[in-house]
Amino acid sequence: MNKINFPALTGIRALAAFMVFVHHYNPFSIEVYGKYAHDFFCEFHIGVTIFFVLSGFLICNRYYDEPNFSFKSYLIKRVARIYPMYFILTTLTFVFFAFVYSQNGWVDLQNYFYNISFLKGFSDDLKFTGIAQGWSLTVEEAFYFTAPLFFILINKSRIYLVIIPLVFIGLGLLLVSYFSGIDCNGFMKSTNFMFDFTFFGRICEFFVGIGLALILRKFSFNFKGFTYIGLAGIILSLCALVSLKVEGGFGVDNFTGKIINTIVLPVFGIAPLFLGLIKEKTFISNFFSSKTLQLLGKSSYIFYLIHLGIFVTILNKFFINQWFLFLSLNIISIVFYLYIEAPLNKLIRKNID
């Protein structure tokens, strides 16, 4: 099963990115569509959960038992995948806002360092600075760095699929208990922050992906219907989050909502959907495997990075419309992917392959 490409899962990346876009720009207003529909699409932040489960699955599928594994080569490939575009867009963001808003140079430089080093993702005060959604890349990078060690332990015993997440959640709680009373730029400031925005709280999503990759290595499935079970699980999880939604917030602001988002949704929604997209031939898998969705999936990382920030600020000066914004950002993302991201990735990998 390892080293196989999964076209439908490339397409699903586009869906995940577009869900986050809808979460931020919810076009389903209460006045027109009603409160329930509005709240339902507000919970589309679960696109990030889809990304995390997908990362766990793909990294495990590719590297779990790779012969002659080189951590250096692995790390360079992982950095090449996300860092060049993040560095370029983060730098543009800080330069742009420094000129437009004439912000204090030292504060900009300090925050710039926290951003390009991914350290901002450990701080409740800094998590939304720079590219606001970039906090999730700190979570991704933490997984990339620790995954090879996880695979060694899991290879010794599958019990580590449970033990490791529990240990990291416990470690996160310990860090919060220590740093919550210390003024340290919001580092591990609260349990809510830890569970919602750090690898310590989001580790289960990656491990569901790892578990799915390992299951596919050992078992073949003749049952047809995982795609629809997964879709039903995702919809029901969204409905549960809506029912838990607090005024002015989201379902995940409730502890039960956090469990649904990080465990129930991945296990009973996202994992079955991925299994169906891999094993079943349906109009859904065909759709996500189409050339259009492949391109949108490959450029979705850039779309995710720019769907909030300077490009939106500039585009809104010309025309304030969510569909215009959505289309424009996709065009920019595709151009950046074809002429900047893909060539840079290829150049970096060329030196190590």
Side-chain angles (χ1 to χ4, degrees):
M1 179 63 66
N2 61 320
K3 301 183 184 178
I4 296 175
N5 291 320
F6 306 101
L9 296 188
T10 297
I12 210 75
R13 287 167 48 190
L15 174 65
F18 296 162
M19 291 180 77
V20 178
F21 176 90
V22 171
H23 160 68
H24 284 130
Y25 296 99
N26 197 341
F28 300 93
S29 66
I30 295 175
E31 295 75 18
V32 177
Y33 297 94
K35 188 175 186 304
Y36 192 89
H38 175 79
D39 290 348
F40 184 85
F41 289 100
C42 274
E43 300 295 342
F44 269 29
H45 56 76
I46 68 164
V48 175
T49 304
I50 293 174
F51 276 127
F52 289 162
V53 176
L54 183 59
S55 289
F57 173 79
L58 293 177
I59 294 300
C60 181
N61 181 73
R62 174 65 179 82
Y63 294 105
Y64 178 71
D65 55 3
E66 183 184 28
N68 303 315
F69 175 79
S70 166
F71 183 74
K72 179 182 177 182
S73 174
Y74 160 82
L75 199 57
I76 291 174
K77 288 179 180 178
R78 292 299 91 213
V79 170
R81 173 68 187 90
I82 70 171
Y83 195 72
M85 285 309 305
Y86 176 75
F87 177 83
I88 291 169
L89 292 171
T90 298
T91 302
L92 283 174
T93 297
F94 274 84
V95 170
F96 176 82
F97 285 110
F99 277 104
V100 172
Y101 297 107
S102 300
Q103 296 172 340
N104 181 277
W106 166 245
V107 173
D108 275 356
L109 188 61
Q110 189 177 48
N111 284 346
Y112 176 67
F113 168 75
Y114 287 132
N115 274 262
I116 62 171
S117 64
F118 293 120
L119 291 174
K120 75 160 189 171
F122 294 107
S123 166
D124 195 14
D125 297 346
L126 301 174
K127 63 181 184 289
F128 293 144
T129 59
I131 297 176
Q133 60 276 29
W135 65 266
S136 62
L137 298 187
T138 301
V139 181
E140 285 277 356
E141 283 296 315
F143 173 65
Y144 290 161
F145 272 94
T146 51
L149 175 61
F150 295 160
F151 297 157
I152 292 172
L153 293 173
I154 293 168
N155 193 39
K156 292 180 181 296
S157 173
R158 293 294 189 266
I159 192 65
Y160 283 106
L161 284 167
V162 176
I163 291 176
I164 293 172
L166 291 176
V167 168
F168 269 76
I169 292 170
L171 179 58
L173 291 171
L174 284 175
L175 289 171
V176 169
S177 68
Y178 180 79
F179 284 100
S180 59
I182 301 174
D183 183 11
C184 194
N185 280 327
F187 179 79
M188 300 300 289
K189 191 175 184 177
S190 67
T191 53
N192 277 333
F193 168 72
M194 188 275 287
F195 278 115
D196 291 342
F197 294 100
T198 75
F199 181 59
F200 300 102
R202 307 298 295 261
I203 187 172
C204 292
E205 292 146 79
F206 294 95
F207 268 68
V208 171
I210 292 172
L212 177 61
L214 295 178
I215 287 172
L216 280 170
R217 286 165 179 260
K218 296 198 88 174
F219 302 100
S220 59
F221 296 89
N222 296 320
F223 173 78
K224 300 296 182 183
F226 284 110
T227 301
Y228 303 104
I229 289 173
L231 287 174
I234 290 171
I235 292 170
L236 289 173
S237 295
L238 282 167
C239 292
L241 289 175
V242 172
S243 70
L244 294 167
K245 187 179 187 304
V246 297
E247 193 63 35
F250 307 100
V252 290
D253 295 332
N254 181 295
F255 185 75
T256 303
K258 298 184 196 304
I259 298 297
I260 291 170
N261 186 55
T262 60
I263 299 176
V264 176
L265 169 64
V267 171
F268 297 103
I270 299 170
L273 174 61
F274 286 1
L275 183 57
L277 291 174
I278 293 168
K279 296 297 241 179
E280 300 167 0
K281 274 292 182 182
T282 63
F283 76 94
I284 296 174
S285 65
N286 289 336
F287 172 74
F288 283 113
S289 300
S290 66
K291 289 183 179 179
T292 300
L293 265 294
Q294 292 302 287
L295 180 58
L296 291 174
K298 290 174 181 176
S299 62
S300 63
Y301 171 58
I302 297 175
F303 179 89
Y304 178 73
L305 288 180
I306 68 173
H307 84 276
L308 297 173
I310 59 173
F311 290 94
V312 174
T313 302
I314 295 169
L315 288 168
N316 281 342
K317 291 184 180 295
F318 296 96
F319 194 53
I320 300 179
N321 179 278
Q322 290 162 333
W323 301 113
F324 165 78
L325 184 63
F326 178 76
L327 179 61
S328 300
L329 290 175
N330 269 294
I331 293 172
I332 294 169
S333 300
I334 290 169
V335 171
F336 277 22
Y337 168 73
L338 292 175
Y339 298 104
I340 301 177
E341 182 187 6
L344 276 176
N345 197 330
K346 185 177 180 180
L347 180 64
I348 296 171
R349 286 171 172 267
K350 183 179 178 181
N351 294 323
I352 59 174
D353 289 336

